[in-house]
Each structure stands twice: as structure tokens, then as C-alpha cells.
Amino acid sequence: MQKGRFGRYGGMYVSEILVQALLELEAAFERIYPTEEFQREFHELLRDYGGRPTPLYYARNFSRRVGFKVYLKREDLLCGGSHKLNNALGQALLAKKMGKKRLITETAAGQHGLATVMAGNICGLKTEIFMGIKDIERQASNVERMKLLGAKIKPVKSGAGVLKDAVSETLREWAACSRTTHYLVGSTVGPHPFPTIVAAFQSVIGQELKKQILEKEGRLPDAIVACGSGGSNALGAFRPFLEERDVRLYFIEGGGESLGAENSAAAFKLGSPGVLHGSLMVVMQDEWGQIRPSRTRAAGLNYPGRGPEISYLCETGRVKPGHALDDEVFEAVRLMCRTEGLIPALETAHAVAYVLNHPEEFKPDDVVVINYSGRGDKDIETILRYFHGSA
Ligand SMILES: *Cc1c(COP(=O)(O)O)cnc(C)c1O
């Protein structure tokens, strides 16, 4: 396969100014990432700061309810409450070794912004975070947290004042100052080499998972289920299993209230190939190629594109795409609370809901792993509003 391509997806659809910065990043990653020194420092940070390895938990009560064995890969226990820190630490360390002084990024709900300023502080880099003005209003408490940690917040008024506009603004800023600044992309999206770099840093999830399931079950799982939009937690879990043809892989998107509803984010059902933020991938778009924003209640599932690698894996059939609807998602939250005493992030609850609602996909002697991408503390208000509204 051509470098930076996953089948027809991927590539580097950016202005000439950015090509230089991307090639510099590609070369630095290829030179620095495999070295023993980098691997040691990265894994030390993941362990001592992040809390890795995260446990693989056999969810007995939940398993009894669904009728087959379900394990949870506990990324909710990573420092910060989701898988996002794996990638932020990796890229911040890489940026430091490249001699950069400053990190920029964008965030919607604030989870990736928080992970970035945490990693920036550890590596001694200044952090600036671009955020749509609508998102700043909606996520006031995470904005305060990021400021407390020392991040500078840059409000983005252009477009609809949401995530996709903040990404465009960050790319523009990067073009102007890439000599001193690294753009810490938060998911397996954007131009090459970002999708490859982010998946490499997140693969620690799947590497641990493989070892842990072999210890606990003496065999590989029958299926791994992950939620996603850009695809970083899913690819992190899937990558070490791509060649293991007997392991079924499921990628679950935000279905919204229904597939016809305004808030649906089921891009593999509703989208088509197009270019977004420098990469060819499956995107939600109208007939003119304008991006169709989605508004699922799980903020982390609202990016309108599916990264090039997950787009390719779904197209070839190696990964099966699916979606969960809002009612199913909140039911999944309730069941996870009652059976295991865990409040999942709304994103994560999509993977849980899919397992609950697709008995035809699983057999009684199956071993299924849910990549439990994050905890639900950030979503408490939304969850309570839903249950009180519908009660
Ligand atoms: C951000 C986020 C996601 C979605 O991002 P991916 O890059 O597709 O993994 C999923 N779950 C949680 C908890 C998140 O914070």
C-alpha cells in the first residue's frame, strides 16, 4: 500500500506550506519512535503518570444478563478518565524531542484539550487550545479545568463555531508557526502522518489486551467491540488483532435518536467518501460536499469524518460497522450502573448498547471484549436530564 494511504483513503490534501511540516513530522516519527530511549520514556509515563496497564475486567453480572462472557478493557481508569492521554503523552514527548516549544490543538467537549495540556505540562511545552464559541459555552467546566492547568483558550467564531471550524483554524495557525509548534491531533484523522502516529500510540491498548486475555482465557477473544468517530480507541484496540481473522471487530457509531434524525452521526450509514481536514475518508456531507454536522449527545462521537484507516477496514469488511440509538445508549448506561456499578461515558455506552441489542451476533460460548473507552462523570447532567425527562 502507498505510504499514508489505506486503500483509497488517507493522503495529504493540504496547502504546500503544510506539506513541509507534515514531512518533517513523518521523518521525526520514523526516526524517534522506534528508539529504545523513546519507548522507555513513553512507557514510563504511561505507567507512572497514566496508570497503565489498565485492567481487563471480567464483568460477571453484565455477562449473566447478556448470556455470554463480556470483558471490559478499562480505559476509564487511565488518568483523565479516557483513552485520550495515551496519544497526548506520545505526541507531546515526540514534539519535545523535535525541539518544539508549544502545542496547539482543538477540542469539542474538552476531553482531548485536557489530555493535551496535561501532557504539555509534563513535557514542558506551552499549550493553546482552539475551541468553537458554541462549545466554549456548552463546556464551561472543562474550559475552567484547562485554564487551571495553564492552557490558553482561543475562541473560534468562524463557521458554526463548533469543532470542525476549530480544526480548520488550528490547521491555519499551524501553517504559520510549525517551526516552533506541534499540532497535537486528537484522533486517527487529519493528513498523513497523523492517522498512523495516533494509531501507533493508542495500540498500547490492544497490546495489553492481547496479553491479558491470553492469561485469563488461554485464547483470543471471539469479538472486540469499540465505539468511535475518528477511530482512535477502536484502532488502538483492533490493531494487534487485524491479522487474527477469527477475531470479529465491531465499530459502533452514534445513531442519534434515529438514522433520520438531525442528531445522527452514523457516517457509515449516511456518509460517503470525501475530503475533510486534509484526508480522504468517509464523511457526513450534503450533495454539494458541504460537511453535515451531527449533534449526538455523546460529544466525542460528533466528528463528521471516520478516519482513513477505519474507513478502509469497514470498506474491506475486516471491521463491521454498527450504530446504537439514543434510547439504547441510555438503557445501556442504566444496565452498566446497576450490574457493575460503573457509569460509562456516553460514547462508551454505544459499544455496550450494541452488545446488548445484537444477540444474533454473539453465541453463548463467545468471549467478547468491550473497549471501555471512558467514564461518565462528564456526562452526568445529560444522563440525568434524559432519565428525568423520560420518566
Ligand atoms: C473522544 C472519545 C471517543 C471517540 O474518539 P475516537 O478517536 O473515535 O476514539 C470515544 N470515547 C471516549 C470516552 C472519548 O472521550
Side-chain angles (χ1 to χ4, degrees), residues 326-362:
D326 286 354
D327 288 344
E328 300 170 332
V329 169
F330 287 102
E331 243 351 274
V333 170
R334 192 195 320 252
L335 190 67
M336 195 48 80
C337 288
R338 297 297 165 87
T339 55
E340 301 294 342
L342 296 173
I343 307 172
L346 281 179
E347 294 85 357
T348 312
H350 284 70
V352 178
Y354 184 86
V355 169
L356 278 171
N357 290 288
H358 292 78
E360 74 283 1
E361 294 284 335
F362 307 100

Side-chain angles (χ1 to χ4, degrees), residues 42-56 73-79 82-87 89 201-209 212 236-237 371-373:
F42 178 47
H43 285 279
E44 237 169 63
L45 282 176
L46 287 177
R47 186 189 66 213
D48 297 342
Y49 182 79
R52 303 207 73 91
T54 59
L56 182 67
K73 179 59 176 157
R74 296 288 307 276
E75 292 304 294
D76 60 320
L77 291 176
L78 189 65
C79 184
S82 81
H83 66 287
K84 289 201 165 67
L85 187 71
N86 299 322
N87 167 53
L89 282 176
F201 288 137
Q202 290 291 3
S203 297
V204 63
I205 301 173
Q207 289 154 10
E208 287 175 7
L209 165 50
Q212 290 167 321
N371 196 31
Y372 199 84
S373 59

